[in-house]
Amino acid sequence: MMIEQLLDQEQEAIVDVDKLSVTFGSQEVLKDITLKIPPGQTLALLGESGCGKTVLMKSIIGLVKPTVGKIEFDGENINQLTARQLSRMRLRYGFIFQNAALFDSMTIGQNVAFPLRQHGRFSDNQIREMVLSRLSEVGLPDSVVFKKPAELSGGMRKRVGLARALIMNPELIMYDEPTTGLDPIMSDVINELILRTRSRNPVTSIVVTHDMHTARKVADRVVMLIPRQRLDPGENQVIFDGSVKELETCRDRRVQQFVNGEAGERLMEMRANGHDQ
Amino acid sequence: MSTIASNNPKPRLAARITGWFTEWVSDWGELVISSCVALGDFCLFVFSTFRWMFSRIPKGETLWPNFYQVGVSSLPVVALTGTFIGVVLALQSSSQLGHYGLTNQLGGVINLTLVRELGPVLAATMLAGRVGSAMAAELGTMRVTEQIDALSAMGADPIHYLVVPRFLACLLFIPTLTIMADFMGVAGGYFYSNIWLNIDQHYYWTNSAKFVNNFDLFTGILKSLFFGSAISLISCYQGFNCKPGAEGVGKAATSSFVFAFIVILILDLSLGLSLKAVYESWYPGGTY
Ligand SMILES: Nc1ncnc2c1ncn2[C@@H]1O[C@H](COP(=O)(O)OP(=O)(O)OP(=O)(O)O)[C@@H](O)[C@H]1O
Ligand SMILES: [Mg+2]
């Protein structure tokens, strides 16, 4: 019975990260990460700056190759796909980059329409309507359509990135700090958008955030990573995996520091270790 | 104490020398290994460019801007440099030939040099400087600001989307640039010789026709195709492998030009040698 349940769970996971390690040169960023995400879940990924959250998300979409371990999306090992299969697979992903990563040779409209033009067979009118409705969802006026990314503010660019990632209605959405750099009201608009996207389609989401408010509001599950250098020997890099409630009551000192935003002795620790690296 | 002090330096020096030596060997080893890795990486890059090129035609919207950059925007500068090279060539060769009383042969010498060597090499050099380093900087910036990652993340292949159009632009339009450089060089040489040096037109052109044949024109253009491919592939590769930051982008732009220029010269020499062999086997007894 137990085993059957476990097997069921394995089959169910839409994202299956298995013993993932990523090393850049001599710097080991991620080690032995195992993470299974069932479909429909919204997972908040927490962790201090530089602990490898972005690297983990990029490995899940196949932009970073694992040094060890494997990553499965919907039962397929994404590192064994051909370039073309991977391209097709990525249509099912939406990735919001930390720094938006808009194409700066294109206008905002062209940026948001890019996935549609690349893959869909839509008429120009349909494309225009979809672009405008996505932009208004993230709180941007129609007038930005003809602007270039360089003419927008950082927060506006971020929201354009969000609109671009959501336009194809992906099954798995990865938000890399969607609310960082936004004012509190806009942050909440984005939180609402994340919730609304989820209620509209059965999507799975991973949200990297430093904002406990966002985590509390949108997440079903919270995973917290810790930089490799801060680990006790033999400890796993995932120091917390549970619901938001459990997070608040977690006893681990490092988790509490993060949740409450207290530096504690962290700076002293970092200095003592020569800034970690 | 003093004996230790006088005895010590020798083994220390020896140890230091072996230390230097091992460091030297390991540095060179590292250089060799990293060059091999980079070369292999470059070959894979070229391979996937060709595979994408033959498997799916790029969209017009990615092609036209690149065609314009290479084919139209580069023409004036190539024309200008071509003219000057023609004039300078006429200036220098006329005094050299004058020594031997061969001034009538001037047209042949100038035009042969231009059509075979200087036209293609000059057009390629201008292309590498004007377009190649811009490509490296543009793609490098896209790499650094994660735009290339964003392309992949949205299911567009960056090689298909960014490299193939640039490659095609260079391949298809470098012959026109070469012809432009040839033409302007020939014109520049002619005007200088004819107006300044008052060399007889008739001899100028008949000698040119005697020296320069279709094979020469063909080899010039054939060479330029190789140059164009090399320039676009090297520049795009440099951009794709750009190191982070403004410094990385600057380096990518510079090294794309330096590498492209070296490769142009190497290709020029090796193609020159092979074309000579081909010519001599086609026309036995003829001199290339
Ligand atoms: N392409 C790369 N090459 C080399 N090192 C990298 C690369 N990408 C990330 N790193 C290193 O991996 C570590 C983790 O980076 P990552 O971007 O994942 O941090 P993060 O958790 O997203 O931090 P932040 O919250 O500040 O965005 C950093 O120390 C960084 O230097
Ligand atoms: Mg990050």
Side-chain angles (χ1 to χ4, degrees):
Chain A
M1 186 63 202
M2 280 286 281
I3 292 175
E4 269 166 28
Q5 265 179 350
L6 274 177
L7 279 178
D8 251 18
Q9 239 185 354
E10 284 222 344
Q11 273 181 346
E12 262 181 30
I14 188 164
V15 177
D16 184 351
V17 179
D18 191 25
K19 298 208 177 62
L20 169 77
S21 299
V22 177
T23 307
F24 292 113
S26 60
Q27 189 194 0
E28 191 170 45
V29 178
L30 295 176
K31 180 153 189 224
D32 225 6
I33 305 270
T34 298
L35 192 65
K36 290 189 197 332
I37 309 175
Q41 192 171 61
T42 302
L43 181 143
L45 188 58
L46 306 183
E48 69 180 68
S49 188
C51 69
K53 305 178 295 293
T54 302
V55 172
L56 175 58
M57 295 225 293
K58 283 193 177 170
S59 337
I60 292 175
I61 197 176
L63 290 173
V64 170
K65 291 242 148 54
T67 317
V68 186
K70 70 166 198 265
I71 286 155
E72 285 183 3
F73 177 73
D74 205 9
E76 286 197 73
N77 184 339
I78 61 162
N79 296 111
Q80 281 171 354
L81 298 178
T82 62
R84 193 161 283 194
Q85 286 169 323
L86 190 60
S87 286
R88 205 165 307 133
M89 177 75 94
R90 279 171 174 158
L91 295 182
R92 303 168 61 188
Y93 285 88
F95 197 105
I96 291 101
F97 285 83
Q98 196 167 352
N99 300 310
L102 302 181
F103 303 125
D104 45 27
S105 60
M106 300 181 194
T107 64
I108 300 304
Q110 288 168 331
N111 262 286
V112 179
F114 185 86
L116 294 176
R117 290 203 192 281
Q118 198 66 22
H119 303 287
R121 305 207 180 285
F122 302 97
S123 69
D124 281 357
N125 266 337
Q126 279 172 316
I127 289 181
R128 217 190 43 210
E129 257 167 45
M130 287 164 91
V131 167
L132 290 179
S133 83
R134 291 295 172 171
L135 285 174
S136 74
E137 272 186 346
V138 295
L140 290 171
D142 294 359
S143 58
V144 298
V145 169
F146 297 108
K147 290 193 170 164
K148 288 279 177 81
E151 299 167 55
L152 299 192
S153 76
M156 289 164 97
R157 279 202 285 269
K158 192 144 220 172
R159 287 181 276 151
V160 175
L162 202 59
R164 184 176 70 176
L166 296 182
I167 201 158
M168 291 290 275
N169 294 321
E171 294 166 48
L172 170 66
I173 310 179
M174 292 189 267
Y175 303 86
D176 199 344
E177 307 194 8
T179 56
T180 309
L182 300 185
D183 62 80
I185 297 169
M186 242 344 130
S187 298
D188 207 49
V189 169
I190 300 303
N191 292 342
E192 292 288 341
L193 177 68
I194 296 175
L195 289 173
R196 198 152 17 104
T197 312
R198 193 176 58 169
S199 64
R200 197 165 46 193
N201 303 313
V203 292
T204 312
S205 332
I206 307 177
V207 185
V208 168
T209 185
H210 295 303
D211 183 355
M212 289 311 297
H213 183 70
T214 301
R216 284 192 195 102
K217 188 153 183 178
V218 304
D220 307 323
R221 174 183 171 192
V222 177
V223 167
M224 186 159 162
L225 294 183
I226 189 170
R228 291 275 308 135
Q229 307 80 3
R230 249 187 119 188
L231 282 181
D232 298 332
E235 201 182 16
N236 194 276
Q237 206 172 351
V238 178
I239 57 163
F240 179 84
D241 185 351
S243 70
V244 185
K245 275 228 176 63
E246 288 166 334
L247 181 73
E248 314 272 356
T249 56
C250 178
R251 282 298 217 9
D252 193 308
R253 184 175 46 88
R254 295 163 300 187
V255 175
Q256 276 313 311
Q257 273 178 6
F258 193 91
V259 172
N260 299 326
E262 291 161 356
E265 67 280 32
R266 181 71 185 114
L267 187 60
M268 305 300 282
E269 224 176 84
M270 275 163 72
R271 285 203 181 127
N273 296 340
H275 264 259
D276 285 355
Q277 313 301 328
Chain B
M1 191 66 198
S2 66
T3 51
I4 293 171
S6 58
N7 274 347
N8 244 358
K10 264 186 190 167
R12 244 203 239 149
L13 189 66
R16 225 192 273 166
I17 288 174
T18 50
W20 278 336
F21 184 70
T22 47
E23 213 167 86
W24 184 77
V25 169
S26 84
D27 281 355
W28 274 99
E30 206 178 303
L31 189 72
V32 169
I33 289 171
S34 62
S35 319
C36 288
V37 169
L39 190 67
D41 206 34
F42 181 69
C43 291
L44 285 177
F45 182 82
V46 173
F47 176 73
S48 67
T49 306
F50 279 101
R51 216 186 39 201
W52 275 109
M53 192 169 72
F54 292 117
S55 66
R56 204 192 291 165
I57 297 169
K59 289 190 180 162
E61 69 208 37
T62 62
L63 286 175
W64 305 133
N66 289 301
F67 284 2
Y68 186 81
Q69 269 302 313
V70 179
V72 181
S73 305
S74 306
L75 272 181
V77 69
V78 168
L80 188 73
T81 42
T83 317
F84 274 96
I85 288 290
V87 173
V88 170
L89 206 58
L91 173 76
Q92 295 296 341
S93 351
S94 63
S95 57
Q96 303 284 323
L97 291 178
H99 279 305
Y100 305 102
L102 296 171
T103 325
N104 280 340
Q105 311 268 2
L106 190 60
V109 173
I110 295 174
N111 293 340
L112 187 66
T113 324
L114 274 170
V115 169
R116 258 195 205 169
E117 286 295 335
L118 286 179
V121 171
L122 195 77
T125 311
M126 292 318 289
L127 190 69
R130 214 196 84 87
V131 174
S133 42
M135 282 178 183
E138 190 187 353
L139 297 190
T141 310
M142 291 185 75
R143 162 67 72 205
V144 170
T145 55
E146 297 184 306
Q147 292 176 53
I148 293 184
D149 280 348
L151 272 178
S152 320
M154 285 186 281
D157 190 278
I159 294 202
H160 177 245
Y161 193 81
L162 297 171
V163 181
V164 171
R166 287 169 170 75
F167 176 78
L168 285 177
C170 286
L171 187 70
L172 296 179
F173 285 93
I174 201 174
T176 56
L177 295 181
T178 304
I179 290 170
M180 183 60 141
D182 286 352
F183 177 79
M184 293 309 284
V186 169
Y190 167 73
F191 280 116
Y192 183 82
S193 327
N194 198 250
I195 293 166
W196 209 260
L197 303 175
N198 289 320
I199 290 171
D200 190 282
Q201 270 195 52
H202 173 72
Y203 285 118
Y204 190 88
W205 290 121
T206 43
N207 270 317
S208 298
K210 214 164 71 189
F211 273 91
V212 185
N213 56 29
N214 287 336
F215 188 79
D216 296 316
L217 202 61
F218 163 75
T219 57
I221 292 184
L222 185 73
K223 272 183 190 173
S224 77
L225 292 175
F226 281 87
F227 298 159
S229 322
I231 291 166
S232 56
L233 290 169
I234 289 172
S235 311
C236 291
Y237 179 78
Q238 291 289 339
F240 264 53
N241 291 282
C242 178
K243 298 274 177 303
E247 194 188 348
V249 175
K251 274 208 180 113
T254 323
S255 56
S256 85
F257 178 75
V258 173
F259 275 120
F261 190 53
I262 294 173
V263 169
I264 288 169
L265 295 179
I266 294 174
L267 278 176
D268 190 39
L269 177 63
S270 40
L271 285 170
L273 290 173
S274 4
L275 287 168
K276 183 174 153 78
V278 167
Y279 185 86
E280 280 164 4
S281 70
W282 277 358
Y283 307 99
T287 46
Y288 180 65

